[in-house]
Amino acid sequence: MAKKLREKIDGLLREGKKKNQLWQSLKGSENHKELVFLLNDLPTLENRQTFLLLNLPLAAMLVIMTGLKLFATIGIGQVNLYFFLALVVPIINIYVLKKILRFQRTGYQYLFVLSFLSVFQPENHRFIEISLLGIMLFLSGFLYLRMFPKKELIKLPPKAADD
């Protein structure tokens, strides 16, 4: 059900509908908490179009970092426990990439936090990784703040929170 609702909201936002309009039209028929989360997780059409040219390089950098981690994983040379543990980071990167390409708010949050934590990993202290992480950290934070401004967030009414 959440997937259908997400697709419905995403389609209506792509048509140019405002979040407040969607909230007013859907609040009677849907779970309020889920509806508010989904409305706040997707940007408006205007924000999507405005920040598309910053989102694509961010996604490209994430693909590069994922590729570097996959090459390091392949460099292990044998399939053992370390090989599978090394696959965790690329799998998480692919999940975050999916969210970034779909302009989902949680993707930018995850990427910001994971990029920040990655700066402290010794394996990421080469010039290319540290520079990509710095740019990704900046872009994910910037896009998060600009694509999802606080004034556009839908607040859950107090009585709806009890439902």
Side-chain angles (χ1 to χ4, degrees):
M1 176 166 145
K3 188 173 182 178
K4 286 184 181 181
L5 182 58
R6 179 180 294 279
E7 290 171 359
K8 182 178 181 180
I9 291 171
D10 193 30
L12 291 170
L13 285 171
R14 286 176 187 250
E15 291 174 6
K17 302 270 196 251
K18 300 291 181 196
K19 290 183 179 185
N20 286 330
Q21 292 174 332
L22 294 178
W23 168 251
Q24 293 302 324
S25 65
L26 295 173
K27 72 178 179 181
S29 63
E30 303 294 340
N31 178 351
H32 288 192
K33 289 180 184 178
E34 184 178 1
L35 180 60
V36 168
F37 174 78
L38 292 175
L39 283 171
N40 289 335
D41 198 40
L42 296 168
T44 60
L45 176 64
E46 179 184 338
N47 286 346
R48 247 181 234 242
Q49 292 172 340
T50 303
F51 296 109
L52 176 66
L53 292 178
L54 286 176
N55 198 55
L56 293 177
L58 178 64
M61 285 182 253
L62 189 55
V63 168
I64 291 169
M65 287 296 288
T66 305
L68 290 171
K69 297 300 176 192
L70 281 173
F71 285 134
T73 302
I74 292 169
I76 292 174
Q78 55 186 332
V79 179
N80 56 18
L81 179 62
Y82 296 115
F83 175 81
F84 290 113
L85 289 175
L87 283 176
V88 170
V89 172
I91 290 170
I92 291 172
N93 283 355
I94 292 169
Y95 173 75
V96 172
L97 179 64
K98 179 182 131 186
K99 287 192 163 290
I100 294 290
L101 290 175
R102 292 183 179 180
F103 293 94
Q104 293 178 359
R105 180 179 182 217
T106 50
Y108 298 99
Q109 291 171 330
Y110 294 155
L111 186 57
F112 183 83
V113 170
L114 292 173
S115 296
F116 179 75
L117 294 174
S118 294
V119 170
F120 299 106
Q121 286 291 103
E123 66 189 33
N124 295 327
H125 287 179
R126 290 184 304 185
F127 179 74
I128 190 163
E129 281 96 350
I130 205 76
S131 57
L132 282 174
L133 284 171
I135 296 169
M136 286 171 39
L137 190 62
F138 171 76
L139 278 178
S140 61
F142 177 80
L143 288 172
Y144 171 75
L145 292 173
R146 296 297 179 155
M147 287 178 66
F148 306 97
K150 289 190 185 265
K151 65 181 180 182
E152 287 183 7
L153 294 180
I154 304 293
K155 303 279 191 273
L156 189 63
K159 75 174 192 175
D162 297 334
D163 295 340

